[in-house]
Amino acid sequence: MARVREFDTDTAVVRAMELFWERGYEATSVRDLTEHLGVGQGSLYGAFGNKEGLYRLCLEHYRDTLAATALADLQADGDARSVIRAMLLERIRIAVMHGGRGCLFVNAAGERLPGSGDTQRSVRDALNVSQDALADVLRAAAGRGEIADRHDPRTLAAFLVTFLNGLLVSAKVTPDVKVLAPLVEVALGVLD
């Protein structure tokens, strides 16, 4: 008779995500995971297949929660510049929390690419969704005359996502909102 799983896999994914986010994929061993989650190695493998499978679920959870919040922030009322500013500043605030662990997607890209196809797909898909959402905001803003129309909205969106990714790396080096926030104003200058 098969054993009944004795732990909540959703909670385990959240807790594992926190550990991967803090330490990185390579520095987090299966033993670290089993100790942190309070489960045996057999249970971990039975639920997630392997460490890579658990990591993939952690990236999905991050995408569906924290990354989804950033996209929702772009739907706020207000002019495009204010909405984008607020979204970028909130990303900085989140990135510097807990001593500057940055963004899980940016960390994953820096640590695991180009070696992991699954991680590459997860990160690429998340970046594409972010670029699409920003391009929609920028296209609408250009149509209303809120921003200059000298740049293609998709190119501006790609620039802002690239800027944000660099900013999130900087948040790991200098986890200080007061230092990083002024950089947002410089980046928003491209909308003039």
Side-chain angles (χ1 to χ4, degrees):
M1 181 192 288
R3 264 181 91 183
V4 175
R5 188 169 293 141
E6 299 175 5
F7 67 98
D8 179 351
T9 55
D10 292 336
T11 301
V13 167
V14 172
R15 295 195 67 216
M17 181 191 77
E18 294 291 331
L19 194 60
F20 283 129
W21 199 358
E22 179 184 324
R23 296 184 182 179
Y25 180 84
E26 295 299 331
T28 303
S29 68
V30 171
R31 182 178 186 164
D32 294 332
L33 289 164
T34 58
E35 288 176 2
H36 187 72
L37 302 177
V39 301
Q41 188 172 340
S43 295
L44 185 79
Y45 286 126
F48 306 111
N50 55 25
K51 178 179 158 182
E52 177 75 31
L54 176 55
Y55 188 70
R56 191 171 37 256
L57 291 173
C58 291
L59 289 175
E60 289 174 11
H61 179 74
Y62 185 85
R63 177 199 66 212
D64 295 342
T65 56
L66 292 169
T69 301
L71 298 176
D73 289 350
L74 292 174
Q75 303 304 314
D77 290 335
D79 65 283
R81 187 182 310 271
S82 297
V83 168
I84 293 169
R85 178 184 294 111
M87 183 274 294
L88 292 172
L89 291 173
E90 179 62 8
R91 302 295 65 76
I92 292 171
R93 188 193 67 74
I94 291 169
V96 302
M97 287 172 44
H98 309 290
R101 62 184 175 180
C103 165
L104 186 60
F105 281 132
V106 173
N107 297 350
E111 181 182 19
R112 305 213 62 227
L113 300 184
S116 170
D118 286 338
T119 300
Q120 186 174 24
R121 277 185 293 285
S122 293
V123 172
R124 183 188 58 233
D125 292 349
L127 292 179
N128 286 339
V129 168
S130 296
Q131 285 181 10
D132 291 345
L134 272 166
D136 289 345
V137 169
L138 293 165
R139 197 173 293 108
R144 292 188 304 266
E146 288 178 13
I147 64 171
D149 62 357
R150 63 190 163 117
H151 297 293
D152 172 63
R154 182 80 183 156
T155 303
L156 276 175
F159 165 75
L160 288 170
V161 169
T162 301
F163 165 75
L164 176 58
N165 291 338
L167 193 62
L168 296 172
V169 170
S170 295
K172 292 174 70 76
V173 176
T174 308
D176 186 341
V177 173
K178 291 177 192 160
V179 171
L180 299 171
L183 302 176
V184 170
E185 296 308 316
V186 175
L188 291 175
V190 303
L191 302 180
D192 295 333

